[in-house]
Amino acid sequence: MKSGDKYYWTKHSLYKMRQYGLSGQRIKRVIRHPTRVEEAIVPNLIAAMQPSGKKIYSEIWTIYKPVKKQKTIKVITAWRYPGTSPIRNPIPQEILDEIKSII
C-alpha cells in the first residue's frame, strides 16, 4: 500500500495490517468513524476503535497521530483485539473536533 496525500503508513502499521488481515480502507474507516476514541499509551497519539462486525465479537484498533502542518494522519499501528477491551482515558471533545477538521 502506498501513502496517499492524507494518510502516511509506517512500515510497522503495514506489517500489522497484513498480520491481522486488515485493509487500508478498513483502518481509514476506523479513524473517520470510531466507536470509541481514547488517549494512546504513547503521549500525543490517539487510539480509535470499531467493532469488527464478525460472528465472534472483536475490536479493530488503530493508533495514529494527526500532523497539523502537513494536514495528514500518520498511522502508527493497527490490530484486532479479541473480545471487549477495558475503557481508558477518553479524548476531550475539542481535540476530536480539531482532528475531524483535518480529516
Side-chain angles (χ1 to χ4, degrees):
M1 174 182 311
K2 76 180 202 188
S3 296
D5 295 334
K6 224 171 196 162
Y7 293 90
Y8 174 77
W9 305 89
T10 61
K11 287 183 181 180
H12 178 77
S13 68
L14 295 174
Y15 171 76
K16 288 297 183 177
M17 287 165 52
R18 193 171 337 138
Q19 178 182 354
Y20 289 107
L22 301 170
S23 67
Q25 198 63 30
R26 182 66 168 121
I27 299 303
K28 289 178 186 179
R29 188 170 26 152
V30 171
I31 292 171
R32 287 185 193 132
H33 306 288
T35 303
R36 194 164 84 206
V37 179
E38 297 180 354
E39 188 176 347
I41 295 173
V42 180
N44 300 323
L45 297 182
I46 297 168
M49 181 277 293
Q50 261 189 358
S52 69
K54 297 208 173 194
K55 290 180 182 179
I56 299 173
Y57 184 84
S58 66
E59 298 172 343
I60 297 174
W61 281 90
T62 184
I63 292 181
Y64 64 96
K65 178 179 182 178
V67 182
K68 295 178 187 175
K69 290 181 182 179
Q70 300 168 348
K71 293 189 177 182
T72 61
I73 293 176
K74 184 175 185 178
V75 180
I76 308 298
T77 189
W79 69 96
R80 190 180 299 268
Y81 186 87
T84 305
S85 60
I87 297 175
R88 296 179 187 244
N89 301 334
I91 301 288
Q93 187 61 40
E94 60 270 4
I95 294 174
L96 290 175
D97 293 338
E98 189 175 323
I99 292 168
K100 287 187 181 186
S101 69
I102 292 174
I103 299 174

